[in-house]
Structures are given as structure tokens and as C-alpha cells.
Amino acid sequence: MPNTIPGWAASGASLFTYIFNLGEGAIPIVATIFLISIALSVTLSPVVYQLLEKVQAVLVIVILLFIALAIFIATDLSAWAGVVTEAPQAIANFPGYWQEVGAVSILGALAFAGAGGANNLVQSNYVRDKGMGMAPSPRPKMYVNSSAPLAAHPGKVFGKIAPRTKSTDQPIHMRLKPVTAVSPVTNV
């Protein structure tokens, strides 16, 4: 999902320069202007950010449903049986593939197979900010339009987390119960 906005900016810039007959040299400049305006609108307006977040959640659900439906329609049980029976043989033949294709090609494919470090960082920060991860942390505030300072982490360790209700709208670090650790050395 994070690659859609640059794609929208680039394709929008191409369309914009075509409509107004600006030439292909203006595409990078117009795309940069579009990217800056998108970044400002998402950063400065929490309403736009929350709307974008909800739209992306719906898109992820639609994409997953489409993939499940496409797999169900396009494959049959014999194809999945082939995956289960042939996968161990492919793993056993890996040294042969290594010599045939070459180490550089295989390592290059492994390097570019995943989402990459930047996307992983974005996703981990999102999970942390939403309180969905294991480590409790204060919710971030909008730096531009918020007058409330960021809360410092209280330094408590994992403990029981009281459930969040509408009556207690405290951040997660305020709802943590402190855990007392007992050292076996001090109890001797």
C-alpha cells in the first residue's frame, strides 16, 4: 500500500502534463509537487489520515477476498497435492539450482523478494502507534497542529494492561500496572 501514493503522483503527473500539453520534461516536477501536496494533506489533517487509513483497510480486505476467490476458481485439488508432494524434492535439489542459476542471481532474488526495510519500518511503526504490538508505548501526537506534548515512557515493564473503555480514555502507558520483580539473590 505505501507504493500507491507515488504511483498515483507519477500517473497523475503524466495525465496532467498530457492534458495541459506541458511536455514530458515536466512530469518529474509535477509529480514532486503532487507528492509534497499529498504529504502535507496527510500530515496536517488528521481527518485525511484517518480516511486514508480506513480506505486502505477496506482495500486490503477486498484484495485478500479476491486472492482467495481467484485461488479457489483457478486451481484444483491436484495442484495443491502437487505442491505438497513436490516441495520436498525442490528443497533437496537446491544445491543443483544454486549451480545452475548462480549464487548472484539467487541472492539477488532473495534480496528483492520481500517488501524491503523501508516498508517493514513503516509497518512496524504503524503497529506500534496503534497499540497492536507487544511493546506498550504512548500514542503519537500530531506535531504540527497539537499543543499537547508527547508523553515520556514511564519505564514500566510488561504487566497487566487494563482494558480501554470509553470512560477511561487514557493512553496505554497510563493503564499499565507496575510489575515487581523478585531477584533470587536478594531472597537468600
Side-chain angles (χ1 to χ4, degrees):
M1 297 310 276
N3 299 327
T4 57
I5 292 178
W8 289 343
S11 59
S14 297
L15 182 65
F16 186 84
T17 55
Y18 177 76
I19 290 172
F20 293 105
N21 200 19
L22 298 175
E24 289 189 21
I27 292 176
I29 297 167
V30 174
T32 304
I33 293 169
F34 285 173
L35 280 173
I36 290 171
S37 63
I38 291 170
L40 288 175
S41 66
V42 170
T43 306
L44 298 176
S45 174
V47 174
V48 173
Y49 178 80
Q50 290 170 1
L51 175 69
L52 186 63
E53 186 178 50
K54 290 174 184 168
V55 167
Q56 285 181 348
V58 169
L59 287 175
V60 167
I61 291 170
V62 168
I63 290 169
L64 291 177
L65 289 174
F66 175 76
I67 289 173
L69 181 67
I71 288 173
F72 179 74
I73 291 172
T75 62
D76 56 358
L77 193 57
S78 64
W80 290 103
V83 169
V84 172
T85 57
E86 294 175 17
Q89 182 63 32
I91 293 171
N93 290 338
F94 186 75
Y97 299 147
W98 186 272
Q99 290 177 352
E100 184 180 330
V101 176
V104 174
S105 298
I106 290 178
L107 293 176
L110 289 175
F112 290 103
N119 289 344
N120 291 339
L121 179 63
V122 168
Q123 292 166 356
S124 65
N125 286 343
Y126 177 81
V127 167
R128 182 205 61 207
D129 294 346
K130 293 298 174 185
M132 294 186 279
M134 290 176 54
S137 63
R139 294 186 75 160
K141 297 287 183 186
M142 300 288 287
Y143 290 107
V144 178
N145 60 0
S146 176
S147 60
L150 288 172
H153 194 279
K156 298 177 184 173
V157 295
F158 289 101
K160 232 179 184 184
I161 299 174
R164 191 175 211 174
T165 62
K166 292 189 183 207
S167 61
T168 62
D169 195 23
Q170 294 178 328
I172 194 168
H173 71 280
M174 302 290 285
R175 295 181 282 128
L176 283 175
K177 307 293 185 223
V179 174
T180 57
V182 179
S183 171
V185 176
T186 59
N187 291 339
V188 177

